[in-house]
C-alpha cells in the first residue's frame, strides 16, 4: 500500500486514526502493530512471514545479548550471530541473483538465478534490527523485553517502506510512554500533506519526463539534460516527500522521528551534500561501519580504505548492480579527494562556483544511479556532452515547454526559499497572524488537487520500492 493512494488516504488512515484515539492508551501499541502488519501484508502477504521471523530473531538476540552482557566473548559472539542472521535474508532476497550472475559471467558457469521478488522495506527494517542488537551490546540502548513493543518498533508503518531509518534508542521512551497534543496532530497533518504534495504533484510529474526519455529513441543534448535534472528532482521529492509523510504520521502517533533531508541541492561540496541527503542512512553507516573500522583515527591509507568500504556498501545497499556500486564508489572517490586536496579550495572560491561544481558531480552520479547497465550509463554521459547528438531537437523543446513550469517549481522547492517565505508569513503583522488563515486553506486546496490527481490514475510509482 502506498501513502499516495486513495485507499490509504480515505480508508486505511481515517479508520486507524479513529481507532487509535478511541482505545485506551495501553492498547495503542497493539492498534499500531496490527495496522502496521495489515499495511505490510496488503501488497505482499507472503513476505509478512519473513518480517515477523526477522522481528523474532532481533528480539531473541537482544534478550540473549543483554543476559550475557557480563560475559564479553559470548555477548560478542551473539552480536556477530545476530548480524549474520539478519543480513542473511537481505542477501538472499536482494543480492543472490547479483552474486550468481557475477559468478556465471566470470567463471562461465550456468547457475540458475533465483529471481526472488524483493520484499518491500527489507533494507530498512533489517538495518533497524541490526542497530538495535548492536546498541544493546554496546549499552547504548535498553533491551526491550516486551515482544509486541519490539515488533511495533520494527514494523511501524510510517517509516517501514522508505525510512527514515529509526534507531531504537531514538524512540525507546516513546514506545512505552508518549502523548499526542493538538499541536502535534496539526503539525503532523500539515507535514504529511506537504510531503504528499511533493510526492504526487512534483515527483510523479517529473518522473513522467524521465520515463519518456528512457522510452524514446530520439535524443539531444538538451533532452538529456532535461531528463537528468528532472530525475535528480524526481528522486529528491519522491524520497524526501515520503520522509516528510513518515515524520508527519509519526508525530500524529506521538513519535519524534529525526529529519532525513536538509536541502541537499544547495550544497557547495560533496561532503556537505551527504550531510544533507538521506541523513539517517549516512549516520547509520558512520556509527556501525565507519567508526568500528577505525574512522579517521588511523593512518591515511587505512582511512582511505575505511571510507572506500563505507561508500561501496552504501552503493550496494541501494541496489544489487554494478551501477549502484560504482555510484557509491563515485561519491567515495570525490569525498576522499575533497578531504585530502579540494576541501580548502572549495571553501575559498565564490559560492556559485563551488555550488556548480558540486551539483555537476551529483548529477553525473545520478546518471549511474538510474542506468540499467554500465553501457547505458556511458551512453548517457556522452549524450550530456554532445557525443554524436544534436544540441536541440523539436522533441526536446516540446517537453521543455510542457514540463518547464513544474521544473522551475521543483528547483525553487528544493531550496529553503519556500520555507523562508512561509516563516515570514507566520510573523504577526498588524495584530494578525496571516498563516492562521492561509495554512489550513492552502493545505485543503493541496489535498483536493492531490486527490484529483490520484483519482485520475496518473503516473504514481515509488522509486525506493526497488531498494
Amino acid at each position: 500500500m502506498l501513502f499516495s493512494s486513495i485507499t490509504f488516504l480515505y480508508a486505511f488512515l481515517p479508520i486507524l486514526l479513529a481507532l487509535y484515539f478511541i482505545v485506551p492508551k495501553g492498547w495503542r501499541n497493539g492498534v499500531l502493530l496490527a495496522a502496521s502488519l495489515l499495511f505490510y501484508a496488503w501488497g505482499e502477504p507472503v513476505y509478512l512471514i519473513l518480517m515477523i521471523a526477522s522481528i523474532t530473531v532481533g528480539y531473541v538476540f537482544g534478550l540473549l545479548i543483554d543476559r550475557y552482557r557480563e560475559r564479553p566473548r559470548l555477548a560478542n559472539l551473539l552480536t556477530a550471530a545476530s548480524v549474520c542472521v539478519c543480513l542473511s535474508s537481505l542477501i538472499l532476497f536482494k543480492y543472490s541473483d547479483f552474486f550468481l550472475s557475477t559468478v556465471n559471467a566470470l567463471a562461465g558457469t550456468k547457475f540458475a538465478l533465483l529471481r526472488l521478488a524483493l520484499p518491500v522495506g527489507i533494507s530498512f527494517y533489517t538495518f533497524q534490527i541490526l542497530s538495535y542488537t548492536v546498541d544493546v551490546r554496546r549499552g547504548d540502548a535498553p533491551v526491550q523485553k516486551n515482544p509486541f513493543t519490539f515488533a511495533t518498533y520494527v514494523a511501524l508503518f510510517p517509516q517501514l517502506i522508505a525510512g527514515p531509518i529509526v534507531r531504537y534508542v531514538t524512540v525507546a521512551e516513546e514506545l512505552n510512554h508518549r502523548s499526542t497534543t493538538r499541536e502535534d496532530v496539526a503539525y503532523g497533518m500539515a507535514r504529511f500533506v506537504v510531503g504528499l504534495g511533493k510526492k504526487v504533484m512534483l515527483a510523479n510529474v517529473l518522473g513522467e519526463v524521465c520515463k519518456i526519455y528512457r522510452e524514446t529513441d530520439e535524443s539531444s543534448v538538451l533532452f538529456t539534460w532535461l531528463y537528468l535534472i528532472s530525475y535528480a528532482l524526481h528522486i529528491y521529492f519522491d524520497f524526501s516527500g515520503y520522509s516528510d509523510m513518515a515524520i508527519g504520521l509519526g508525530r500524529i502517533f506521538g513519535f519524534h522521528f529525526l529529519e532525513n533531508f536538509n536541502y541537499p541541492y544547495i550544497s557547495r561540496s560533496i561532503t556537505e551534500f551527504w550531510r544533507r541527503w538521506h541523513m539517517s542512512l549516512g549516520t547509520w553507516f558512520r556509527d556501525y561501519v565507519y567508526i568500528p573500522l577505525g574512522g579517521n583515527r588511523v593512518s591515511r591509507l587505512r582511512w582511505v580504505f575505511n571510507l572506500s568500504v563505507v561508500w561501496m556498501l552504501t552503493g550496494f545497499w541501494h541496489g544489487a548492480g554494478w551501477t549502484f556500486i560504482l555510484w557509491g564508489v563515485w561519491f567515495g572517490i570525490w569525498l576522499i579527494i575533497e578531504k585530502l586536496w579540494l576541501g580548502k579550495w572549495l571553501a575559498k572560491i565564490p559560492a556559485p562556483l563551488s555550488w556548480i561544481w558540486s551539483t555537476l558531480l551529483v548529477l553525473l552520479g545520478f546518471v549511474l544511479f538510474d542506468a540499467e547497465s554500465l553501457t547505458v550509463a556511458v551512453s548517457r554521459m556522452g549524450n550530456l556532452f554532445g557525443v554524436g547528438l544534436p544540441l536541440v531537437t523539436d522533441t526536446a523543446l516540446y517537453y521543455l515547454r510542457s514540463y518547464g513550469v513544474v521544473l522551475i517549481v521543483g528547483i525553487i522547492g528544493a531550496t529553503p526559499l519556500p520555507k523562508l517565505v512561509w516563516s515570514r508569513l507566520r510573523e504577526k503583522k498588524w495584530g494578525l497572524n496571516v498563516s492562521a488563515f492561509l495554512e489550513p486553506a492552502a493545505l485543503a486546496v493541496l489535498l483536493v488537487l492531490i486527490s484529483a490527481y490520484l483519482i485520475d490514475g496518473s503516473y504514481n510509482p515509488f522509486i525506493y520500492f526497488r531498494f
Side-chain angles (χ1 to χ4, degrees):
M1 190 185 304
L2 291 169
F3 291 165
S4 54
S5 68
I6 294 298
T7 302
F8 179 83
L9 289 174
Y10 294 106
F12 182 89
L13 186 58
I15 293 172
L16 171 58
L17 290 174
L19 287 173
Y20 182 83
F21 287 107
I22 287 173
V23 302
K25 285 188 176 182
W27 293 15
R28 288 181 175 177
N29 275 357
V31 170
L32 272 182
L33 177 58
S36 296
L37 295 177
L38 173 62
F39 178 88
Y40 192 82
W42 189 270
E44 44 184 29
V46 172
Y47 287 132
L48 180 62
I49 299 171
L50 175 65
M51 187 175 71
I52 293 174
S54 298
I55 290 170
T56 303
V57 167
Y59 172 74
V60 171
F61 270 113
L63 292 179
L64 291 173
I65 292 167
D66 183 66
R67 180 177 180 179
Y68 295 105
R69 186 185 302 277
E70 302 304 321
R71 298 172 61 181
R73 288 186 179 180
L74 181 55
N76 290 340
L77 182 62
L78 288 167
T79 304
S82 72
V83 171
C84 292
V85 173
C86 286
L87 287 178
S88 63
S89 60
L90 182 62
I91 292 170
L92 174 64
F93 285 93
K94 189 170 183 176
Y95 301 110
S96 56
D97 280 357
F98 170 78
F99 290 127
L100 288 171
S101 60
T102 301
V103 170
N104 286 343
L106 293 176
T109 53
K110 295 183 179 180
F111 293 116
L113 302 184
L114 301 181
R115 303 192 185 282
L116 298 172
L118 180 64
V120 173
I122 189 171
S123 297
F124 291 95
Y125 71 69
T126 297
F127 271 27
Q128 291 189 189
I129 295 171
L130 285 175
S131 67
Y132 166 74
T133 56
V134 172
D135 282 350
V136 169
R137 174 65 190 100
R138 291 174 175 175
D140 294 336
V143 68
Q144 177 54 253
K145 296 184 178 181
N146 186 319
F148 298 104
T149 301
F150 180 72
T152 303
Y153 156 67
V154 177
L156 196 59
F157 81 90
Q159 46 76 51
L160 177 64
I161 60 174
I165 299 172
V166 178
R167 289 159 65 169
Y168 179 76
V169 68
T170 306
V171 295
E173 180 62 27
E174 291 174 340
L175 280 166
N176 298 305
H177 308 287
R178 64 182 182 276
S179 60
T180 303
T181 64
R182 291 183 179 179
E183 290 75 16
D184 287 330
V185 173
Y187 173 85
M189 293 180 67
R191 187 74 182 263
F192 177 83
V193 173
V194 169
L196 185 62
K198 289 165 68 173
K199 160 64 183 163
V200 174
M201 306 304 293
L202 291 175
N204 286 0
V205 177
L206 292 166
E208 293 174 1
V209 181
C210 305
K211 184 174 182 288
I212 292 166
Y213 176 83
R214 296 186 199 103
E215 294 177 351
T216 186
D217 294 328
E218 183 180 350
S219 189
S220 64
V221 175
L222 176 61
F223 199 6
T224 306
W225 278 102
L226 176 62
Y227 144 75
L228 183 55
I229 294 170
S230 297
Y231 181 76
L233 292 171
H234 163 65
I235 193 171
Y236 168 69
F237 286 116
D238 200 59
F239 196 12
S240 69
Y242 253 88
S243 292
D244 287 339
M245 288 186 274
I247 291 169
L249 289 171
R251 184 66 66 88
I252 292 173
F253 296 118
F255 295 97
H256 291 72
F257 300 151
L258 299 179
E259 295 294 334
N260 211 20
F261 288 86
N262 183 25
Y263 304 107
Y265 290 139
I266 68 171
S267 303
R268 294 179 54 193
S269 67
I270 299 301
T271 302
E272 183 183 359
F273 176 82
W274 280 104
R275 286 173 180 163
R276 295 174 175 272
W277 179 280
H278 202 346
M279 294 184 288
S280 64
L281 180 67
T283 55
W284 196 97
F285 273 108
R286 180 197 65 196
D287 293 344
Y288 300 104
V289 181
Y290 181 65
I291 291 177
L293 285 174
N296 58 1
R297 297 184 178 183
V298 290
S299 67
R300 177 170 292 186
L301 186 61
R302 178 54 192 258
W303 170 78
V304 169
F305 171 80
N306 293 346
L307 206 60
S308 300
V309 169
V310 166
W311 283 98
M312 184 185 71
L313 291 176
T314 299
F316 206 32
W317 179 88
H318 280 86
W322 286 108
T323 53
F324 291 108
I325 294 173
L326 289 176
W327 174 77
V329 171
W330 169 265
F331 282 110
I333 289 172
W334 284 110
L335 285 166
I336 291 169
I337 292 173
E338 278 188 3
K339 295 287 187 181
L340 295 179
W341 299 292
L342 285 184
K344 293 182 180 179
W345 175 75
L346 288 171
K348 291 179 180 179
I349 66 174
L353 293 180
S354 58
W355 174 80
I356 291 172
W357 168 261
S358 303
T359 302
L360 178 61
L361 294 179
V362 170
L363 290 175
L364 292 177
F366 279 133
V367 174
L368 282 168
F369 194 84
D370 188 46
E372 300 86 3
S373 66
L374 293 179
T375 303
V376 172
V378 171
S379 175
R380 288 178 183 168
M381 290 259 190
N383 293 349
L384 289 170
F385 299 102
V387 178
L389 287 181
L391 290 176
V392 181
T393 61
D394 291 339
T395 301
L397 291 174
Y398 171 79
Y399 287 115
L400 181 60
R401 287 192 296 267
S402 300
Y403 291 93
V405 173
V406 177
L407 199 64
I408 292 171
V409 172
I411 291 171
I412 294 172
T415 72
L417 182 60
K419 185 177 181 179
L420 178 63
V421 171
W422 192 253
S423 66
R424 292 292 178 88
L425 289 175
R426 283 180 173 274
E427 297 175 0
K428 290 186 178 180
K429 294 183 177 181
W430 307 294
L432 188 67
N433 187 351
V434 179
S435 68
F437 300 96
L438 285 180
E439 185 169 336
L443 291 173
V445 170
L446 180 59
L447 187 57
V448 169
L449 292 174
I450 291 168
S451 301
Y453 189 97
L454 294 175
I455 291 172
D456 184 54
S458 301
Y459 186 67
N460 187 32
F462 176 50
I463 195 167
Y464 265 74
F465 264 168
R466 60 179 174 141
F467 306 139

